[in-house]
Amino acid sequence: GPEGAGKSHLVRLWQTANGAETRTARALALQPALPPPGGHLAVEDMDHLPTEAQAPLFHIHNHLAATGGSLLMTARTPPIRWPITLPDLASRLQATAVIRIEDPDDRLLHAILAKLFADRQITPPPALLDWLARRIERSFAAARRIVTALDTAALETGRPASIALARTLLDKTGPEAE
């Protein structure tokens, strides 16, 4: 899924529910130890898997498959686009189930904006959420950027988060670069 879509959050939930270990794809080259038999491992940022981590991942994948464990991997791109040069690993990864997190629709974008404001203890007027959802890029990252920018501008100017303040920010940066 895209940046800011909640992949790491979902990994933490899965990790807690399964007693799993989490590693980054880059760390596999430095930390090639196998998880316990039947264990659970999450590997984040698979689209940045270094060549030297491919053999350790191949052995981890086979070990977990043979012992009843599970492997959860996250990335911004699907496995077909990962830089895998080890043919046996590539074939195993192509056979994995893929769940894609799409960019948010209008309703979800509205809810994300509300949650991001709430995380900052800001209660924006409902009209602001509607106004932003119609004008910003439809992405998790854009929602995070505009809420951060509005919070910062509100603190700097002493003005509340509002359509007027949001309009000023978007006029300065454009709708894609909040």
Side-chain angles (χ1 to χ4, degrees), residues 7 14 60 88 103 128 136 147 149-150 155 164:
K7 296 179 299 293
W14 183 81
I60 288 168
D88 288 339
D103 283 328
L128 174 60
I136 66 170
V147 170
L150 274 167
L155 290 171

Side-chain angles (χ1 to χ4, degrees), residues 87-108:
D88 288 339
L89 177 60
S91 68
R92 281 165 178 73
L93 294 179
Q94 293 310 312
T96 61
V98 175
I99 298 171
R100 180 165 170 73
I101 301 172
E102 300 291 340
D103 283 328
D105 60 14
D106 289 347
R107 190 169 149 224
L108 181 56

Side-chain angles (χ1 to χ4, degrees), residues 163-177:
I163 291 174
L165 186 56
R167 183 179 289 120
T168 301
L169 291 172
L170 293 181
D171 284 348
K172 286 181 184 176
T173 61
E176 286 79 37

